[in-house]
Amino acid sequence: MTPAPGDPFDDPDESPAMPGRRLRRGLTLRALAPNAITAAALCTGLTGIRFAINGDWEKAALAVLFAGMLDGIDGRIARLLKAESRFGAELDSLADSLSFGMAPALILYLWSLQQLPRLGWFAALAFALCCALRLARFNARIDMDVQPHKSAGFLTGVPAPVGAGLAFLPLYLWLASGEPLFREPVFVAVWVAIIAFLMISNLATLSWTSLRPRRNVRLELLVLAGLVFAGLLNETWWTLVAICAGYLLLMPLGMVRYARVRRQRAAAAAQASSAAGQAPD
């Protein structure tokens, strides 16, 4: 049987087909490392619920954000180490559903939505459910013909980690300013419902691969990156508010760019069809 990518028996030193070598059993670190990071992200996200139960809202939000950082590197490390596997993909989806769906929903419910009888819980449920549906759609690859393609540098809807970060925007504003308005359950419920819709929508959103700034602004971008990092250390919540605002402002740009790509592809397809129709028999 041919081993799957990421399978520990994919290592030539551990292959049972190698003659004259003793079979060594167990997982290699190459295969274990990405899944260990995914498990750490899962535990970090769920730990945010514990902080929320204790009323430590800052640590609760930061736990989910840190889980998002871990989620952003586990897949890249798996590809770098050539340790991709079906098990890792399934574990990653399960971890994302819990860390970026269930955990933010419960944190926001305990922070604000529980003050809104019934409707607050339904808003939290809607967010967790939409996150799970988005991940299931991504895994199943359904409706590929009508959805933006990652190969063109676009994603379909708001990614789950980004959705969790955006859902916390009222919490960021409340922590930064102390204004009770941002904790108003009706406002929070409406905002959570909007982000839940964006996660399962067919809107084209920009991926990291599509963001290719010009060479003549690279130094300015390095300065901006340094300032953002310094802002996260000194003014954490206002910086997170600015990051959320920046992402929301980029969403129309993604839709405009994808519409241009669709027009170009439609024109190319029409030209190819016309050329095929004019070709001699």
Side-chain angles (χ1 to χ4, degrees), residues 35 61 67 70 72 100 102 128 131 147 156 161 166 168 180 183 185 191 202 217 230 233 240 257 264 272-273:
N35 293 332
L70 293 175
F100 310 126
M102 186 179 76
C131 182
Q147 292 179 1
T156 305
L166 291 175
F168 281 146
R183 200 174 183 177
W191 178 252
N202 283 331
V217 296
L233 294 177
L240 289 172
R257 281 191 178 182
Q264 292 173 351
S273 176

Side-chain angles (χ1 to χ4, degrees), residues 131-148:
C131 182
L133 291 175
R134 172 188 168 74
L135 294 167
R137 179 179 66 182
F138 177 81
N139 290 341
R141 302 292 201 280
I142 61 175
D143 299 332
M144 289 300 293
D145 292 337
V146 297
Q147 292 179 1

Side-chain angles (χ1 to χ4, degrees), residues 242-280:
I243 292 174
C244 290
Y247 183 87
L248 293 173
L249 290 174
L250 284 175
M251 288 187 66
L253 177 62
M255 291 184 283
V256 170
R257 281 191 178 182
Y258 183 65
R260 185 186 308 158
V261 170
R262 289 189 64 180
R263 288 194 299 268
Q264 292 173 351
R265 289 184 173 181
Q271 185 177 4
S273 176
S274 175
Q278 295 175 2

Side-chain angles (χ1 to χ4, degrees), residues 25-194:
R25 299 183 181 278
L27 289 172
T28 63
L29 290 178
R30 176 178 62 82
L32 187 62
N35 293 332
I37 295 175
T38 303
L42 170 60
C43 293
T44 304
L46 293 181
T47 301
I49 300 176
R50 175 180 177 273
F51 290 135
I53 292 174
N54 295 332
D56 197 339
W57 309 115
E58 294 187 5
K59 289 184 178 179
L62 290 175
V64 175
L65 294 177
F66 186 60
M69 295 174 59
L70 293 175
D71 178 72
I73 65 175
D74 60 356
R76 289 169 174 80
I77 290 179
R79 289 188 289 272
L80 180 65
L81 299 177
K82 297 182 180 179
E84 298 154 294
S85 65
R86 181 65 180 174
F87 173 81
E90 295 296 336
L91 178 63
D92 185 69
S93 291
L94 177 61
D96 287 356
S97 179
L98 295 176
S99 296
F100 310 126
M102 186 179 76
L106 289 176
I107 292 170
L108 291 170
Y109 179 78
L110 293 172
W111 173 63
S112 171
L113 293 175
Q114 64 177 336
Q115 301 174 30
L116 192 64
R118 296 189 181 90
L119 292 180
W121 179 241
F122 280 111
L125 283 179
F127 183 84
L129 179 59
C130 287
C131 182
L133 291 175
R134 172 188 168 74
L135 294 167
R137 179 179 66 182
F138 177 81
N139 290 341
R141 302 292 201 280
I142 61 175
D143 299 332
M144 289 300 293
D145 292 337
V146 297
Q147 292 179 1
H149 292 271
K150 191 173 183 180
S151 61
F154 299 94
L155 300 174
T156 305
V158 174
V162 177
L166 291 175
F168 281 146
L169 181 57
L171 179 57
Y172 303 153
L173 290 167
W174 178 76
L175 290 170
S177 65
E179 176 59 49
L181 175 64
F182 296 120
R183 200 174 183 177
E184 176 63 36
V186 175
F187 167 70
V188 176
V190 172
W191 178 252
V192 168
I194 292 173

